[in-house]
């Protein structure tokens, strides 16, 4: 099978940063599905792993990719929820080969049935699971906070992949007032179109902009990027007894300023359930099924902004470069394999 991989971690401008290779097709065992991959999406985690993590398990190469849509080609003997031919979407696991290959093995518990109405399904799984877990598992936005008044949420980095879907899920599944940050005219319009009630500029101090809105202090703050730059602002603007969640990896995070307001701090990693095979691992499959229903009902739209064909090393390198620029709006999808790309 065709695949794209790297052999040594490093910068994307290296000649061998990502290479086209050929590997044997894997075999489904246990609860695994063998997926014929039709499309993939690129996320910041792809660039982060490629830049610093060596191949694992003594392998000579590592296949990236944590967003995919495809069709079940084979099932392991213990699979109960899927059959050959099912159209699926998923975000995979950090400790297994990724989706940048014609065929991939994925545990059925973290796989969902993809939306009937969406052709670019690969844009959503990782970001949708991340946003859902932040909103409902970490921040518990369905449970208000005493210091938050009517209740609002600030989403920092609203135009990125995770922010774009978090805005939509918050609008579709909660009554919260959604405030999102964006700094460029096109990204500000993007987050408005996704449903944000208010848009503020993360290139300027956040606290006075929140105050100027004339609404209660946000009960919830979700930071998707550059958390260290905004931390003092967040501590000042968040409601007493509020809840704060982040997904990025700042070099340091001094949260002492949150003590005065008894703010709880939550870190989210979408891969935790699959890394540790937690008892609720199958919740991710259920989340994907729910998101698919919301997409088919018209409550959530794709965050796709660019499609490249085919899935190969050259296009993946271009996508990684865009991701590393930190200016990407929405999601980049790669679809099709060579002559099959049409």
């Amino acid at each position: 099978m065709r695949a794209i991989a790297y052999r040594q971690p490093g910068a994307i401008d290296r000649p061998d940063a990502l290479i086209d290779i050929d590997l044997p097709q894997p075999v489904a065992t246990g609860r695994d599905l063998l997926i014929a991959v039709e499309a993939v999406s690129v996320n910041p985690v792809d660039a982060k792993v490629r830049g610093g993590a060596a191949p694992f398990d003594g392998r000579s190469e590592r296949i990236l990719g944590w967003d995919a849509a495809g069709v079940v080609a084979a099932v392991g003997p213990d699979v109960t929820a899927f059959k050959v031919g099912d159209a699926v979407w998923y975000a995979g696991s950090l400790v297994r080969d990724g989706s940048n290959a014609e065929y991939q093995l994925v545990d059925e518990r973290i796989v969902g049935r993809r939306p009937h109405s969406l052709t670019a399904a690969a844009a959503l799984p990782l970001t949708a699971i991340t946003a859902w877990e932040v909103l409902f598992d970490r921040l518990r936005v369905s449970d208000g906070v005493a210091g938050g008044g009517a209740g609002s949420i600030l989403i920092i980095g609203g135009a990125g992949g995770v922010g774009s879907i978090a805005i939509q899920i918050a609008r579709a599944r909660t009554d919260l007032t959604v405030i999102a940050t964006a700094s460029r005219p096109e990204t500000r319009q993007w987050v408005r179109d996704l449903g944000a009630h208010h848009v503020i500029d993360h290139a300027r101090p956040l606290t006075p902009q929140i105050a100027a809105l004339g609404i209660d202090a946000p009960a919830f703050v979700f930071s998707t990027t550059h958390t260290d730059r905004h931390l003092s602002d967040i501590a000042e603007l968040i409601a007493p007894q509020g809840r704060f969640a982040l997904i990025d990896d700042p070099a340091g995070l001094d949260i002492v300023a949150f003590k005065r307001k008894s703010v709880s701090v939550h870190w989210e990693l979408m891969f935790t359930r699959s890394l540790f095979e937690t008892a609720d691992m199958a919740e991710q499959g259920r989340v994907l099924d729910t998101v698919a229903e919301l997409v088919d009902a018209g409550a959530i739209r794709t965050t796709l902004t660019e499609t490249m064909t085919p899935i190969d090393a050259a296009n993946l390198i271009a996508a990684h470069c865009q991701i590393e620029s930190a200016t990407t709006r929405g999601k980049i999808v790669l679809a099709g394999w060579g002559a099959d790309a049409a």
Side-chain angles (χ1 to χ4, degrees):
M1 69 174 184
R2 289 170 286 186
I4 301 93
Y6 68 91
R7 293 196 168 100
Q8 295 291 333
I12 194 61
D13 58 1
R14 290 174 31 171
D16 59 348
L18 293 169
I19 56 174
D20 295 299
I21 62 173
D22 190 70
L23 294 172
Q25 181 176 307
V27 176
T29 60
R31 299 191 70 171
D32 280 344
L33 307 175
L34 179 67
I35 310 296
V37 175
E38 297 178 340
V40 301
S41 184
V42 181
N43 294 280
V45 65
D46 295 70
K48 188 180 302 181
V49 172
R50 186 216 72 242
F56 52 79
D57 292 340
R59 298 273 295 278
S60 60
E61 69 283 313
R62 180 163 186 172
I63 301 171
L64 300 173
W66 290 284
D67 253 337
V71 174
V72 177
V75 300
D78 301 326
V79 167
T80 60
F82 296 91
K83 64 183 185 304
V84 172
D86 285 344
V88 296
W89 61 345
Y90 55 91
S93 166
L94 276 178
V95 292
R96 306 189 71 175
D97 280 339
S99 57
N100 296 340
E102 284 187 278
Y103 293 91
Q104 181 188 10
L105 294 174
V106 187
D107 189 298
E108 67 168 337
R109 289 171 289 181
I110 57 173
V111 175
R113 286 173 172 77
R114 73 193 200 209
H116 302 295
S117 61
L118 193 61
T119 55
L124 289 180
L126 184 148
T127 54
I129 294 171
T130 299
W132 191 283
E133 290 185 348
V134 167
L135 293 173
F136 301 112
D137 296 341
R138 314 297 171 229
L139 294 179
R140 294 182 289 108
V141 297
S142 300
D143 301 329
V145 302
S152 59
I153 182 169
L154 170 63
I155 300 172
I156 298 172
V162 174
S164 294
I165 191 65
I167 291 168
Q168 296 187 76
I169 293 174
R171 287 302 310 270
R173 302 286 289 202
T174 79
D175 294 323
L176 292 171
T177 297
V178 178
I179 310 159
T181 78
S183 60
R184 306 192 309 274
E186 64 271 24
T187 55
R188 292 173 68 85
Q189 188 59 52
W190 171 261
V191 298
R192 286 192 188 98
D193 291 344
L194 293 174
H197 293 96
H198 305 283
V199 184
I200 64 174
D201 185 353
H202 51 238
R204 299 191 290 120
L206 301 179
T207 301
Q209 295 181 78
I210 292 290
L213 296 177
I215 62 176
D216 290 332
F220 312 102
V221 177
F222 175 18
S223 179
T224 70
T225 187
H226 299 312
T227 297
D228 49 347
R229 298 183 191 176
H230 304 296
L231 199 63
S232 59
D233 249 350
I234 295 167
E236 185 176 354
L237 66 83
I238 196 170
Q241 302 179 73
R243 303 185 194 115
F244 166 56
L246 68 156
I247 58 172
D248 59 331
D249 300 293
L253 198 70
D254 185 352
I255 62 173
V256 171
F258 289 115
K259 181 177 181 179
R260 181 169 173 266
K261 290 183 177 178
S262 298
V263 170
S264 59
V265 179
H266 307 264
W267 229 307
E268 159 67 13
L269 179 65
M270 187 223 72
F271 299 109
T272 296
R273 282 172 161 138
S274 56
L275 272 171
F276 297 97
E277 296 195 18
T278 59
D280 63 349
M281 182 173 165
E283 183 63 23
Q284 291 196 340
R286 290 189 286 269
V287 167
L288 288 172
D289 286 343
T290 301
V291 172
E293 292 170 2
L294 290 170
V295 170
D296 285 337
I300 288 177
R301 76 183 207 193
T302 181
T303 56
L304 169 71
T305 53
E306 183 176 358
T307 301
M308 299 179 177
T309 58
I311 305 170
D312 63 12
N315 279 332
L316 277 170
I317 287 171
H320 278 233
C321 288
Q322 287 194 47
I323 290 292
E324 290 186 353
S325 74
T327 60
T328 305
R329 176 173 57 91
K331 294 294 294 291
I332 303 166
V333 166
L334 283 71
W337 293 90
D340 303 324

